[in-house]
Every structure is written in structure tokens, then in C-alpha cells.
Amino acid sequence: MSEKKFSKKHEWVTLEGDIATVGITKHATEMLGDIVFVEVPEAGKSIEKEGQAAVVESTKAASDVYSPISGEVTEGNKAIADDPSSVNGDPEGANWFFKLKIKDKSELETLMSKDEYDKFCKENPS
Amino acid sequence: MGYKRVIMGVQKTALYDLHKSLGAKFVPFAGYEMPIQYKDGIVKEHISTRTHAGFFDVSHMGQFFLEGDETLVESLEKIIPSDLKSLKVNHSKYSFLLNESGGIIDDLIVTKTNKGFCIILNAACKENDIKHISKFLDKNHKYFLNNDLSLIALQGPKSVEILEKLIPGVSELKFMSGNNFSYDSESLYITRSGYTGEDGFEISISNKKVKNLINFLMKNGVKPIGLGARDTLRLEAGLCLYGHDLTEKINPVEANLKWAIAKKRKEVGGFNGWNKIKDLLTNGSEKIRVGIKPEGKVIARENTKIFSSNGEEIGFVTSGTFGPSVNRPVAMGYIKSEFSEIGTSIQLEVRGKKYEGKVSELPFYKKSYVK
């Protein structure tokens, strides 16, 4: 599996072959608070980089989740739609949002490393 | 994501530094910097209020005092449809300020005092309210907003046991009544009331002494609760939030709050908007506030459009969230009266997609007041 990469919109992505796994970051869940609703995309949906892909809602507000990379969705994580609060527990591991078959691996190069993302969050506090 | 901060001209309550030390996240609210949540988060704060006890700093609300002779009652009854004449000293009523067409300028709690009345006003409305009220007063009526007082709501099933230890006698108060008590060599006013659906108290205490009170409460396991959980608690209890569920364009009949208009006043009238309200009491209103239960997990937030099962647009949501105690999404909104029967199937348009829902009884969570 590739190194985890991060977007400015607080999504993470890992790559295995040409299949990317996308979720939201721990920092995002801390900003959101208690997650009470998740909508994940259906398999077969095409999504452009930075396109709206999923929805996450906390007790406070609804937010869109964007795809950090272009591709066709192969799977949405039904488990988190059934148990939205699980995302607060382990956002960067088991509780990914969707997987997609990517078109252009080079898009990953525009994303941040873990260190770069941590720095980005410190410089852009909510 | 995140919250915008307003630096200029923002007001703070006497407990601001304490909130900060407790890890509060602040939001600008009605010109005040107020805690939306603390470290535990909204769901835990909500649950601990329902199962134990929580305190809320509601000092941004207006504590408005009026003094005067019997003509004061007459003046206030022109804009407040309660039976203020029969209200006994230390008893409170939920009511509203009405404009000329019967629209709700603010919702409030009015308490009879020895010298007149105390009215608790919403923070965002208080200045406008006072302008409106003062138009109806005579020269011999005195009025003032007391900014030297904080207001603390202590809510939850353990509230009575904990507060009784500090201030003996409070357990004898019944819901919607109050009295003067003494604490820390000062007099303070306590009512048995609140806005969460739980038993509890609202404590009016000087800004100087409020920190001591909070320290005592926290030593006894009372958790700080932010505006976020205040909202989920009041919505589960079916209670309205001004500016959302109630506005100047909504009257008490439409708001399904006709119970708050005193029986005598319904018969005799003599208050702002009486003609309109009398007509609506007899003939019913075109639209009415109802509870809404979306099916599944989707949250229908404010401004969500409501449709009938054959696709006719019939209303809109005014408050919607996830209810932690009922463990499901809940909402309130206005719909055409012919669709207001409990159990009616409706559709809710969220992000362009229609979701099933039902008109529901209010409250979603059973209240436990001590009457």
C-alpha cells in the first residue's frame, strides 16, 4: 500500500494497485464533533478530483466529502452509513468512506504528506 | 468547516474565562461569544444532562425587570396574552410578545415579583423587545435590564439533590415557580424551570458570585453543557427556538402554542393581534407547527422542503437534528394543516433527494417536570 496522502479539504487517500481508498482525517472528525449521518457513493459513479463524493453530518452541521483523486467508485463503505458514530472512533483506519479505481496516478503528487498536512492544519486552525 | 470568529464588539458573560479553561469551543451567538460545546462533545453533554445533571450559562439572555402599580398589568397584557392579573407572586408563565398582527416578536418566561414582573428575554431579541414593551408603558412604570446578574440553568434528574445541598429549600419549589434564597451572604432568585424537558432550576445570581456557584456544582459532578446540546435537548423536548421555529411572521395558533394563551384572554381578548388570533382559534390556521420523524438516518435540517406523498409541496422544516436520547433524527416544521395529523406520510427533500418521513407527536422525549 502507498504512503497515506492528504488533501486541504481534510480527506486522506491510500493506493493499492490502481484502487484508491478515501476517508476523512482525524482532524476533520475533531472539527465536526459527533458524527450522526454518513452517505457514501454507489459503485459505478465517476468522480473527478475535488468533486463531491460523500456527505458527513455531525450534530452541528452537514459537510461534503470530496474525492482527492479522480476515478470510478468500486465500493462505498456501507458499515459507516449504518453506524455513523464509528467514524469518530477510527477515521483513518477501518472507517474509510469509499474506494475508487483511479485514472491518473500522478494526481497523488499534488496531495500532502502526513508532515505537510499536520503543518497545514496548524497554520489553518478552524 | 469550523466557526467564524467575531473579534470586534463581541460581548462575554462573567463565566467566559471559566468556559475557556474547561476547553469550550466558542461561537458568536446573538452578539456574545458563547460555548457551543466543551471537551466531551454534544452527544455526551446531552446524555449527561438527561441522566445526571448539567449546567448552562444562559447569562446572555435578558433579565428584564418591571415595576409599577396595577396599571402595569394592563399595559403588559396588551402585548402578552397571559393572565398576568391572576398570576401569583413567584409564579411563572411561558408566553410571548405579540405584534399588531399577532406575530411573535419573542417568546419568554414572565414571573410575578413583589414589585411587578421579571421577564426572561432571548439574547438576540432583548434590545428590540424592550423598545417594543416600553411603547406600551406609562410614565409611572419603571423598567431595567439587569446586566449585573448571570443566569445559570441547572438541568437534569440530579439537579434537585445537588442544589438542595447548597441551598436548602429549593426542592420544595414546583415547576414554573420560584423564590428568593440566600447563598454566599447574598440573595439570589431561583425558579424551577428550564428548556431541556428535564427537571431543573434557573438561578439568577450576581456576576460576582456566579463562579463560586459553578465551582460547587462541578465539585458535585455537574458537567458544563454548551449551546449545541441545549439545542438537541430542547428539540427532543419539542420546545421552540426563536428565530427558527418562531418569528414575527408566525402567530401562536400556527406555532401550536395556543395552550400558552390564557383561557380568560382567549375569551375576552384585548391584546395585540386578537382579531386575527380569535379567527384562527375558531377556524383553524392554514399551516401549523408539527413534529417530524424522518425515516432512516437522514437529518432534515432547517429549510428542508416538505412534500405530500403525491409530491405537492406542503411545508418546510424549521429545526432538525439528531436526537441523542431518542437515538434518531428529529425535526419540527410548518405544514399545511390538512396534512398535520399524526402519522401522515410526508417526503423530505434533502440534497435534491426525497426521503420518507412521518408527522409525529411532540415532544419526541417525554418531559419529566416536577409539578
Side-chain angles (χ1 to χ4, degrees):
Chain A
M1 206 190 294
S2 75
E3 179 203 358
K4 196 176 268 175
K5 293 280 204 168
F6 297 84
S7 76
K8 287 182 178 173
K9 299 212 165 128
H10 307 288
E11 292 92 16
W12 57 264
V13 56
T14 56
L15 193 64
E16 213 170 354
D18 60 353
I19 300 294
T21 303
V22 176
I24 64 170
T25 64
K26 183 143 196 343
H27 179 78
T29 60
E30 284 163 3
M31 284 196 293
L32 284 165
D34 304 298
I35 293 169
V36 293
F37 177 81
V38 170
E39 190 177 79
V40 293
E42 299 280 335
K45 189 181 175 183
S46 282
I47 301 172
E48 293 299 309
K49 179 172 157 70
E50 290 174 12
Q52 192 266 337
V55 176
V56 58
E57 291 197 47
S58 71
T59 39
K60 283 180 258 183
S63 305
D64 286 324
V65 177
Y66 302 94
S67 186
I69 189 163
S70 309
E72 186 182 306
V73 175
T74 58
E75 191 184 352
N77 189 354
K78 291 276 188 294
I80 61 167
D82 291 338
D83 182 11
S85 67
S86 66
V87 178
N88 287 110
D90 184 15
E92 294 192 24
N95 301 315
W96 49 275
F97 272 56
F98 55 91
K99 289 178 193 276
L100 70 178
K101 191 172 179 193
I102 65 163
K103 287 199 289 202
D104 179 3
K105 201 175 166 180
S106 72
E107 284 181 354
L108 280 179
E109 288 160 22
T110 63
L111 299 171
M112 292 178 277
S113 68
K114 171 86 176 126
D115 286 349
E116 285 167 337
Y117 177 68
D118 288 346
K119 199 172 157 224
F120 171 78
C121 291
K122 262 189 201 158
E123 287 167 0
N124 298 277
S126 59
Chain B
M1 281 180 282
Y3 295 96
K4 199 178 155 190
R5 293 227 171 175
V6 176
I7 309 296
M8 300 291 286
V10 80
Q11 299 190 68
K12 292 169 180 173
T13 71
L15 290 176
Y16 179 83
D17 290 336
L18 185 97
H19 296 312
K20 212 169 176 181
S21 73
L22 295 171
K25 277 191 195 172
F26 290 94
V27 288
F29 182 85
Y32 286 79
E33 190 83 339
M34 296 301 290
I36 186 153
Q37 65 166 81
Y38 300 83
K39 280 180 191 152
D40 282 351
I42 293 173
V43 170
K44 277 191 188 154
E45 289 172 26
H46 176 115
I47 299 293
S48 72
T49 305
R50 290 256 187 266
T51 56
H52 188 76
F55 79 86
F56 307 68
D57 180 12
V58 288
S59 307
H60 54 315
M61 297 183 86
Q63 299 186 62
F64 184 59
F65 292 84
L66 292 131
E67 295 173 7
D69 55 15
E70 63 275 9
T71 60
L72 178 62
V73 170
E74 287 165 28
S75 295
L76 290 177
E77 284 201 347
K78 286 176 191 159
I79 41 175
I80 298 175
S82 292
D83 184 2
L84 297 177
K85 206 171 185 176
S86 308
L87 191 61
K88 290 181 196 140
V89 172
N90 292 325
H91 285 253
S92 309
K93 287 283 178 196
Y94 172 75
S95 194
F96 357 83
L97 284 180
L98 298 175
N99 66 23
E100 281 166 8
S101 46
I104 300 171
I105 294 172
D106 197 3
D107 66 335
L108 52 87
I109 302 280
V110 55
T111 304
K112 180 85 180 83
T113 63
N114 285 318
K115 291 179 180 172
F117 296 92
C118 171
I119 305 180
I120 307 294
L121 302 166
N122 278 304
C125 307
K126 60 188 179 187
E127 282 176 30
N128 187 43
D129 290 348
I130 293 166
K131 271 188 209 154
H132 184 73
I133 295 168
S134 63
K135 282 186 213 156
F136 290 82
L137 298 178
D138 292 343
K139 277 182 191 159
N140 62 338
H141 301 152
K142 277 194 245 169
Y143 63 91
F144 58 100
L145 189 68
N146 194 333
N147 291 317
D148 297 328
L149 295 175
S150 291
L151 190 64
I152 301 300
L154 170 64
Q155 300 281 290
K158 298 282 181 199
S159 300
V160 59
E161 184 187 315
I162 293 165
L163 195 61
E164 179 72 22
K165 276 198 274 185
L166 186 70
I167 304 168
V170 293
S171 63
E172 284 159 36
L173 293 173
K174 298 278 186 265
F175 187 63
M176 294 301 270
S177 72
N179 218 329
N180 285 295
F181 292 87
S182 130
Y183 162 71
D184 209 359
S185 64
E186 212 177 78
S187 170
L188 76 178
Y189 196 79
I190 301 176
T191 58
R192 196 154 198 173
S193 61
Y195 217 61
T196 61
E198 295 299 327
D199 181 27
F201 301 90
E202 288 195 352
I203 305 159
S204 173
I205 180 169
S206 73
N207 292 338
K208 284 180 199 156
K209 302 280 184 179
V210 65
K211 275 177 213 156
N212 296 350
L213 172 74
I214 296 303
N215 285 335
F216 169 84
L217 295 177
M218 290 187 62
K219 269 182 204 148
N220 283 273
V222 180
K223 289 266 170 78
I225 314 295
L227 290 178
R230 186 167 169 82
D231 194 51
T232 55
L233 288 159
R234 69 93 196 165
L235 185 46
E236 279 188 344
L239 301 168
C240 293
L241 178 62
Y242 194 83
H244 301 263
D245 309 303
L246 304 176
T247 69
E248 288 199 33
K249 287 180 180 152
I250 297 286
N251 63 59
V253 181
E254 292 169 333
N256 216 343
L257 295 171
K258 61 184 179 192
W259 59 265
I261 305 176
K263 191 166 172 276
K264 199 174 104 190
R265 308 295 315 277
K266 278 180 197 160
E267 289 159 6
V268 184
F271 53 86
N272 260 1
W274 162 237
N275 282 339
K276 178 156 186 187
I277 287 170
K278 186 169 70 172
D279 173 58
L280 296 175
L281 284 169
T282 316
N283 302 313
S285 56
E286 253 176 60
K287 63 175 185 223
I288 192 154
R289 181 177 63 97
V290 293
I292 295 159
K293 282 184 178 169
E295 268 171 31
K297 290 187 189 294
V298 74
I299 297 169
R301 295 186 189 270
E302 189 173 7
N303 297 325
T304 297
K305 286 180 181 170
I306 307 172
F307 295 85
S308 70
S309 43
N310 16 346
E312 181 196 346
E313 191 174 334
I314 54 168
F316 54 93
V317 170
T318 50
S319 283
T321 189
F322 177 83
S325 298
V326 293
N327 194 29
R328 58 164 300 125
V330 289
M332 295 199 292
Y334 284 83
I335 71 172
K336 287 188 178 171
S337 296
E338 62 259 43
F339 296 96
S340 64
E341 199 178 317
I342 288 154
T344 305
S345 290
I346 52 171
Q347 293 190 317
L348 301 155
E349 190 179 280
V350 179
R351 291 179 286 271
K353 229 160 87 184
K354 283 183 183 155
Y355 293 85
E356 295 293 317
K358 283 212 159 61
V359 174
S360 158
E361 279 174 312
L362 290 172
F364 300 104
Y365 182 87
K366 203 171 164 283
K367 298 181 182 121
S368 43
Y369 302 139
V370 177
K371 296 203 179 182

